[in-house]
Amino acid sequence: MSLKEKHRNHEFTITVELDPPKSASSVKTQEEASRLEGWIDAVNIADCPMAKLRMSPIALSHIIQEKYHTLETIFHLTCRDRNLLGLQAELLGAAALGVNNILTLTGDDPSIGDHPQAHPVYELDSTGLIEAAKTLNSGYDCAGNALDTPSHFYIGTTANPNAEDLDSEILRLEKKKEAGAEFIQTQPIFDISAARRFLEAAEELDMPVLFGVLPLKSEKMARYLHEKVPGIVIPADMIRRMAEGGKKAGTEIAAHTSEEIRSLGAAGVHIMPLNDIGTVLTIVQQLRMN
């Protein structure tokens, strides 16, 4: 059963974000995927995250799906590096390879990455990319020309459940749904009340929501995320727990948060492991066994 079918059947799904390698070999990421097979529903493969050179997410997604048949992928595609023609070409290639779940993103500016001399494109924004994918699904390209075979993308978008202006965030999502977005993966959530508010506000959208879960590793990490990263709010009592319990407390918090998200009736969780697959397995095994 595909990820899209699971969401239609209201099954609780678990996705995990993996960083593609800065390498011509996919062995490292394949090994990570092999440890997750059978426990999760899909892995997200980022598109040069933080504007740092990495392997093509479409190629890597295809490799993983070919090797691990029970594990789907969600490839990220950004508007940073390609114009309208290039984005459509990438999408048609992904469709031909059977890589059908996409997360649409604007993308980080190259100035913050390891190739600051690279020129950004941004001919489309993420909403425009959603429209392009939906158009290909309808059997046409963005110039109105018929395709020999249409694509079948399950189109995802992002959201910030911690947004100060939640009404504006929901309005933005309404426009993305109109453009063709079908499911949502959010930034990390640490305060379950924020998740509850977001689900209530987004109820009329009728889109599956997978809340981000980021296992904390230290008090220092918690404070940095809370103070320096826009869109992330970590309650004071959680920071105190991290000061007392360190990484173990962070794993417990993530597992408990995931359980609470499931109890709210959300479509799933999206775990961001920061290359710590062991912690992911601890969280996921607890979820699957309860």
Side-chain angles (χ1 to χ4, degrees):
M1 188 182 297
S2 70
L3 183 67
K4 184 173 185 175
E5 290 170 332
K6 290 174 182 176
H7 287 164
R8 283 179 173 173
N9 290 337
H10 303 289
E11 292 187 24
F12 187 80
T13 55
I14 303 172
T15 62
V16 175
E17 187 162 320
L18 299 181
D19 284 335
K22 188 171 185 174
S23 171
S25 169
S26 63
V27 169
K28 177 179 180 292
T29 312
Q30 286 186 56
E31 290 174 348
E32 293 174 341
S34 71
R35 296 177 65 189
L36 296 170
E37 187 182 21
W39 290 104
I40 70 168
D41 300 283
V43 292
N44 279 57
I45 305 295
D47 184 6
C48 291
M50 301 301 293
K52 294 182 179 179
L53 177 64
R54 294 292 186 270
M55 180 182 287
S56 159
I58 294 172
L60 184 54
S61 294
H62 173 66
I63 290 168
I64 290 172
Q65 288 191 170
E66 284 292 293
K67 187 158 187 176
Y68 309 106
H69 298 295
T70 63
L71 189 60
E72 281 192 83
T73 59
I74 302 169
F75 74 93
H76 294 193
L77 189 61
T78 73
C79 304
R80 175 188 56 230
D81 308 313
R82 309 163 187 87
N83 63 12
L84 177 60
L85 187 64
L87 287 167
Q88 290 180 96
E90 291 282 12
L91 288 168
L92 290 178
L97 292 170
V99 182
N100 294 315
N101 304 314
I102 175 176
L103 190 70
T104 53
L105 300 158
T106 299
D108 300 305
D109 193 278
S111 62
I112 70 168
D114 57 5
H115 285 64
Q117 74 276 20
H119 295 287
V121 180
Y122 297 123
E123 186 170 286
L124 300 181
D125 60 11
S126 58
T127 303
L129 179 54
I130 291 167
E131 290 175 332
K134 182 182 179 181
T135 300
L136 297 179
N137 280 353
S138 73
Y140 293 87
D141 67 20
C142 292
N145 304 305
L147 301 174
D148 291 338
T149 304
S151 58
H152 301 283
F153 292 114
Y154 186 38
I155 307 169
T157 188
T158 58
N160 177 16
N162 302 300
E164 291 185 10
D165 187 346
L166 195 55
D167 289 340
S168 293
E169 185 71 4
I170 297 302
L171 180 61
R172 186 180 69 88
L173 288 169
E174 286 175 354
K175 292 178 179 178
K176 290 194 170 189
K177 181 179 180 179
E178 290 173 5
E182 298 171 274
F183 72 96
I184 300 166
Q185 290 184 318
T186 81
Q187 287 184 272
I189 193 85
F190 293 96
D191 182 354
I192 201 66
S193 63
R196 185 179 295 107
R197 286 193 301 271
F198 182 83
L199 281 179
E200 291 171 355
E203 184 176 5
E204 291 188 8
L205 288 173
D206 193 27
M207 295 170 69
V209 179
L210 287 78
F211 284 102
V213 173
L214 176 60
L216 298 169
K217 296 183 178 182
S218 66
E219 178 195 6
K220 181 179 179 181
M221 176 184 177
R223 289 191 180 279
Y224 177 84
L225 291 172
H226 179 69
E227 296 171 2
K228 303 294 185 180
V229 180
I232 294 183
V233 178
I234 303 179
D237 64 331
M238 202 170 283
I239 294 176
R240 284 195 296 271
R241 281 188 64 187
M242 291 304 302
E244 295 167 359
K247 182 180 176 181
K248 183 174 184 293
T251 303
E252 292 170 352
I253 289 168
H256 180 66
T257 300
S258 298
E259 292 279 9
E260 288 189 302
I261 288 169
R262 179 166 61 181
S263 72
L264 291 177
V269 291
H270 174 54
I271 304 174
M272 307 168 188
L274 301 178
N275 300 311
D276 189 349
I277 301 301
T279 294
V280 173
L281 285 171
T282 298
I283 296 166
V284 170
Q285 287 168 3
Q286 181 173 319
L287 269 174
R288 291 301 191 196
M289 292 175 179
N290 289 342

